[in-house]
Every structure is written in C-alpha cells, then in structure tokens.
Amino acid sequence: MNDPDILLLRQKVHGLPASRYADALRERLPDADIVVADTPDEERELAKRATVISGFNIDDELLESATAMELFACCFAGYGHLPLDELEAAGVPVTNASGVHGPNISEYVIGALVSMARDFHRARRQQDERVWQAFGSRELMGSTVTVVGLGAIGQAVLKRLEPFGVDTIGVRYSPEKGGPADEVYGFDEIHEALARTDALVLACPLTEETEQLIDYEAFRTLPPHAHLVNIARGGVVDTDALVKTLRSHNIAAAFLDVTDPEPLPSEHPLWGFENVTITPHNAGHTPKYFERLADIVAENYRRLENGEELENRVR
C-alpha cells in the first residue's frame, strides 16, 4: 500500500460525505494520493504514513501514530478544540477553514436584514391568517450597520452590504488593523458604536473578551428601533438580557441562528416573541463546503511541497 499524500478522517458536514471532499481534492491535485478512512482502525493505520491529515479533530492516540504528518488541515474555521500544544510539540503546523463560510453566511445576514427591515415576518403571519392589512416598513439605505468581528465572515458581510448604501461600523479586538468598514472601533469602545447602530450583526468568535459582550448595558445603549442578527455564537449575547430587552420592546427585532443554550429548549421564552426569528444554527449550511475547503487544502499542499508559507495557518 502506498503512503497517502492526504488522509481524510471520518467526517460528514451538512449531510455531505467525506467522499465529496476527496473528489474535490482529486480534481485539484490529480497527481496526489488522497484516501478516505472509513473506520477507526483505518484512520490509525493510514495516519502512520500520511503527509497531510485533514479532519475536524485529531485525538491523542491518532496524533501519536501520525509520525509522518507534516500538516494538520482542520475542517472547521474554529480551532480552539484542537490539541494545539501537542501538535506544536510534534512540529506539525495547523491550518483552518477560515473563509469557507463567507459567501453563505453573509447571504444569510443580508436576508435577515432585509427581512426585518421589510417586516416579512409580519407579512407571513398575515398571510397565514388571510389578513390583507397594510403595514409600515424601513429601508436599509442610509441606515448604520455595525458588524462585530472582522474576520472572513464579517468582511464578507460588509462587502455584500456595499450596494445597499448603508454606513458601516466595524468592531474588532485589534482596531488598529482596520477593515472594510467606514469606521472601526475596539471592544472597549463598543458603546460608541452601539449608540449609532440601526442593525447589529454579530460575527465574532466566542472568547473570554466576547462572552456576553452584548449584555443588558449594551441593549440599553442600542436604539429601540435597532435590529440584531447573531451568526456568531449564542454565548456572545446575554440571553436573559435579550429576553428582558424584548419584553420591554427596547429593540425592534432579532434574527438568531445561534442561541445560548443550544439547542434552544422548546419551553424557552425566546420562541414566543413575534419579532424574533430563530434558525437552528444552519446559516453556515452550503453544498459547496467541501469545494471551498478543498481550494484551501490543495493550495496548502502545493505550498508545503514548495516550502512556502501556508494559508490560514493558526499554529
């Protein structure tokens, strides 16, 4: 048996099998030997000889056996769950899937913002009740949209907002890095941004700095007509504060793809608000996931062969 160039661990995403990932890589790397492990035993055996291993995670046993590995290509954008110290000690660089979700999640955000501005939720409710009754709506044009988190997803959101004629504010951990927003603030200045915000989009990772970043004080600063879209993590928002704010009619609407807790229990009060739309953490779903991931991994395979700097390297 040949030594595999790229080993794909057992994984499925959005209903897509790992074989789709393998097919996409083979199109991009026709001369590489790309194999998919179907069982735990196959993973352990193939990992002993694979140059690149790609998966959502790698456990201690598999890492110990992967003595030929020169790159671990994580299939998630998030990488905090990985044994980074152990991989570093083994001299194995780690890359992630940052950028894979940019197009699909930014489309979700645009859809949410338009839906809330035009109050499509009310239109759907009136249609269900067979009620013909005019109601007011808003425009995105001329409004101020604040995006918290200026990574690949936040930047994709801002790019897709350009044709709508909105003013944009970015909020990020390192504001000195700037970004594609009209203005950029740090987390410690977030209230300066919130006070001017018509629509707040959360697109940041969940960290010590961002946990419950949007708390009751943040909701107090937001204007009462503001809209909230959360495609980050549920823990970025203080859920109790959100419920209290909604009950007081102190924001106009919320569109939530993530919640805390998650899954959201059926008895949770968030389900009962007419101005809240909840989707089951599927903003990132796309049939092109493995295609976009294969672009990153194939490019890094070439760079690894040529001794060049890796894209999306996180450690």
Side-chain angles (χ1 to χ4, degrees), residues 60-89:
D60 292 340
E61 182 181 357
L62 197 61
L63 177 56
E64 186 176 349
S65 66
T67 55
M69 179 170 55
E70 298 178 19
L71 169 64
F72 181 76
C74 181
C75 293
F76 284 151
Y79 52 87
H81 62 288
L82 296 176
L84 294 174
D85 292 340
E86 289 81 355
L87 284 159
E88 186 174 31

Side-chain angles (χ1 to χ4, degrees), residues 26-262:
R26 288 175 184 131
E27 287 179 7
R28 291 155 177 79
L29 299 169
D31 296 328
D33 183 15
I34 298 162
V35 297
V36 180
D38 294 322
T39 67
D41 287 342
E42 283 188 5
E43 284 183 343
R44 286 189 289 271
E45 182 58 34
L46 291 166
K48 297 175 183 178
R49 306 187 306 278
T51 303
V52 176
I53 298 178
S54 184
F56 296 133
N57 201 356
I58 184 167
D59 59 33
D60 292 340
E61 182 181 357
L62 197 61
L63 177 56
E64 186 176 349
S65 66
T67 55
M69 179 170 55
E70 298 178 19
L71 169 64
F72 181 76
C74 181
C75 293
F76 284 151
Y79 52 87
H81 62 288
L82 296 176
L84 294 174
D85 292 340
E86 289 81 355
L87 284 159
E88 186 174 31
V92 178
V94 179
T95 60
N96 72 349
S98 178
V100 168
H101 285 308
N104 41 311
I105 292 185
S106 59
E107 286 182 3
Y108 176 101
V109 171
I110 296 300
L113 292 174
V114 172
S115 176
M116 289 187 291
R118 307 307 299 182
D119 207 351
F120 288 155
H121 186 76
R122 177 171 177 171
R124 177 74 255 182
R125 185 174 70 251
Q126 289 188 184
Q127 181 176 339
D128 290 342
E129 297 171 355
R130 302 191 177 194
V131 172
W132 182 282
Q133 180 180 355
F135 56 88
S137 60
R138 296 168 50 190
E139 295 182 358
L140 286 183
M141 179 176 282
S143 66
T144 298
V145 179
T146 295
V147 178
V148 179
L150 297 185
I153 293 173
Q155 292 188 42
V157 169
L158 288 164
K159 180 178 180 180
R160 283 159 180 78
L161 281 170
E162 289 176 4
F164 289 90
V166 302
D167 297 320
T168 57
I169 301 174
V171 180
R172 67 186 310 171
Y173 180 76
S174 303
E176 65 275 6
K177 292 182 178 179
D182 296 324
E183 303 172 65
V184 179
Y185 290 89
F187 287 148
D188 58 341
E189 305 169 298
I190 191 169
H191 283 267
E192 300 298 321
L194 296 178
R196 299 161 49 202
T197 295
D198 298 306
L200 175 63
V201 178
L202 304 179
C204 55
L206 180 62
T207 65
E208 290 183 3
E209 291 81 13
T210 64
E211 186 172 7
Q212 296 198 354
L213 178 70
I214 307 304
D215 56 10
Y216 187 63
E217 289 302 312
F219 284 121
R220 288 183 65 189
T221 300
L222 277 172
H225 65 266
H227 292 161
L228 168 68
V229 180
N230 189 4
I231 48 83
R233 287 292 183 268
V236 175
V237 174
D238 181 334
T239 302
D240 291 341
L242 174 59
V243 170
K244 183 177 181 180
T245 299
L246 289 164
R247 283 175 173 162
S248 303
H249 300 283
N250 284 334
I251 61 170
F255 220 102
L256 310 174
D257 188 54
V258 289
T259 59
D260 181 24
E262 190 175 304

Side-chain angles (χ1 to χ4, degrees), residues 250-293:
N250 284 334
I251 61 170
F255 220 102
L256 310 174
D257 188 54
V258 289
T259 59
D260 181 24
E262 190 175 304
L264 193 66
S266 59
E267 68 278 6
H268 198 280
L270 276 177
W271 290 112
F273 292 100
E274 290 187 350
N275 57 342
V276 175
T277 301
I278 299 170
T279 55
H281 204 148
N282 68 341
H285 282 209
T286 171
K288 296 183 179 180
Y289 190 98
F290 281 142
E291 294 286 331
R292 294 182 185 135
L293 179 60

